[in-house]
Amino acid sequence: MLIDRVAFTGLRNLAPLDFSPGSGVNLIIGDNGSGKTSLLEGLFILGMGRSFRTRQLKHAIAHHAQEMTLFSRLSGDPPLPVGVRRERDTGELEVRMGGERVARLAQLIEALPVQLINPDAFRLLEGAPAARREFLDWGVFHVKHEFYAAWQRAKRALKHRNALLRRDRMDAEGLAVWERELSIWGERVDALRNEWMTSFIPVFEETLSKLIDMPALSLHYLRGWDRQRNLKEVLEQGRASDFQMGFTQTGPQRADLRIRLNGRPAVEVLSRGQQKLVVSALKLAQGQLLEQITGRACLYLVDDLPAELDAQHRYVFCRLLSSMHCQAFITSVEYDALARAWEEQAPLTLFHVKQTASGTGQLVPQAR
């Protein structure tokens, strides 16, 4: 599905907006602080139920507003309206799809798959394993229907085992119950992740080759415990150590992706621009695999595309995005930084976020 209408009110410094984006690339131009990133933030919230700029959604509400309302309409037969509303005082997050209230955020995430490429995306290379697990599980969630339930069961078992580990005395019988549960669902989560990685790596390698020549880069999945032993055995043998630490040290919650170049961590070798291209390849490949397996399109949000990239690699990135025939929203301070990156016939819709005298950002369509 593509977004054919967007309407936001009460979002940060943006004036109320209601517009129809293009089905291809939507280029958002504007000065720093005008509200370009806020527009991407609103779209991200519609796809994830959370912000990439703040942990608390109340901070995304305009200072003069009591609530924030975000709406999009997904094309289809029939079209699917999707809305998110957050009140400042009550803290209530209301999500609606097709006019009906949605109880689980997983339904929202499934309806509008979103990939974000912004400065925080560098965490895939330089950050803690949690960022890479989130990336991995996003991909598995969208193509493996049983993953979410298995992941929830494993998470529940882990929570109960950790609670027992924090007691004054070890409860061997209780630990055995939750270790059995965690081993069953943890092994299933691992199997689904591994299956997805087998499909993902060739797509990633092909996508990366279109952005930059880097054949020595490798991507490996680490499941979080000894590959030669089953999880139940590892948990049982690790009880004493885990009890001393007060938490479970091995399992699916410790999974990671290892990204290396010539055997060294990629983040230690690559320039900032090269890192951005690797991260972009990971994100674009994830969306492409989703479309290959399910036929569902992914929405791409790219904040400040020209940053870190020279003119040649901006050109290569934009040409690749155009060839994917996807819907994307890209921000840039200046149009000239990307003007030559698009073919004349490429579907490109241009908007300008202009800062008004009151300090709000107003979205204005522009001629290409």
Side-chain angles (χ1 to χ4, degrees), residues 72-83:
S72 68
R73 184 176 63 200
L74 307 184
S75 62
D77 188 17
L80 178 65
V82 176

Side-chain angles (χ1 to χ4, degrees), residues 1-8 17-26 39-48 70-76 79-83 108 111-115 297-301 325-329 349 351 363:
M1 292 184 181
L2 300 175
I3 295 178
D4 63 18
R5 183 188 167 198
V6 175
F8 295 164
L17 58 83
D18 191 335
F19 71 102
S20 296
S23 60
V25 173
N26 295 272
L39 176 58
L40 298 191
E41 181 184 21
L43 293 167
F44 186 84
I45 293 171
L46 280 169
M48 295 294 289
L70 310 175
F71 171 85
S72 68
R73 184 176 63 200
L74 307 184
S75 62
L80 178 65
V82 176
L108 180 71
L112 184 58
V114 174
Q115 281 293 344
C298 183
L299 175 68
Y300 298 95
L301 308 177
H325 305 292
C326 60
Q327 188 175 41
F329 290 79
T349 306
F351 296 93
L363 188 70

Side-chain angles (χ1 to χ4, degrees), residues 10-236:
L11 175 61
R12 292 196 185 268
N13 64 327
L14 280 176
L17 58 83
D18 191 335
F19 71 102
S20 296
S23 60
V25 173
N26 295 272
L27 186 56
I28 317 296
I29 306 299
D31 294 337
N32 289 325
S34 61
K36 304 184 304 297
T37 301
S38 297
L39 176 58
L40 298 191
E41 181 184 21
L43 293 167
F44 186 84
I45 293 171
L46 280 169
M48 295 294 289
R50 59 179 175 84
S51 169
F52 59 80
R53 300 175 72 182
T54 177
R55 290 182 179 274
Q56 298 185 50
L57 273 183
K58 68 178 181 180
H59 296 315
I61 302 174
H63 69 275
H64 63 274
Q66 290 302 309
E67 67 177 30
M68 170 181 67
T69 302
L70 310 175
F71 171 85
S72 68
R73 184 176 63 200
L74 307 184
S75 62
D77 188 17
L80 178 65
V82 176
V84 173
R85 185 169 70 93
R86 172 61 156 81
E87 294 186 1
R88 182 188 300 278
D89 295 335
T90 65
E92 179 185 14
L93 179 67
E94 181 181 350
V95 179
R96 289 186 175 271
M97 293 172 52
E100 300 293 330
R101 189 154 186 167
V102 173
R104 296 189 303 116
L105 280 180
Q107 294 174 257
L108 180 71
I109 296 170
E110 186 175 12
L112 184 58
V114 174
Q115 281 293 344
L116 173 69
I117 301 174
N118 73 337
D120 285 344
F122 284 99
R123 291 187 299 125
L124 283 177
L125 297 180
E126 63 190 16
R132 291 183 287 277
R133 277 196 301 276
E134 181 181 338
F135 170 84
L136 170 65
D137 288 345
W138 186 98
V140 187
F141 168 82
H142 279 287
V143 301
K144 302 288 186 180
H145 297 300
E146 63 181 290
F147 174 77
Y148 184 65
W151 178 82
Q152 282 191 312
R153 297 283 294 269
K155 184 179 179 181
R156 177 172 176 265
L158 177 65
K159 178 181 177 181
H160 283 283
R161 185 176 190 268
N162 282 342
L164 291 174
L165 291 172
R166 290 191 290 269
R167 291 187 175 182
D168 294 335
R169 297 180 60 184
M170 184 182 294
D171 178 1
E173 185 176 344
L175 285 171
V177 171
W178 293 112
E179 284 168 359
R180 184 165 56 250
E181 184 79 357
L182 179 55
S183 65
I184 292 171
W185 297 107
E187 295 272 9
R188 189 58 191 147
V189 165
D190 168 60
L192 293 170
R193 285 171 170 170
N194 199 52
E195 289 173 12
W196 183 84
M197 282 297 299
T198 300
S199 301
F200 175 73
I201 288 176
V203 179
F204 165 66
E205 291 175 343
E206 181 181 358
T207 303
L208 182 65
S209 69
K210 294 176 181 178
L211 291 175
I212 189 171
D213 184 24
M214 201 176 290
L217 188 91
S218 62
L219 178 64
H220 296 287
Y221 164 62
L222 306 176
R223 69 178 186 173
W225 70 93
D226 185 355
R227 190 162 291 279
Q228 303 304 316
R229 296 188 294 163
N230 63 56
L231 183 54
K232 188 171 183 293
E233 177 186 352
V234 170
L235 292 172
E236 290 173 349

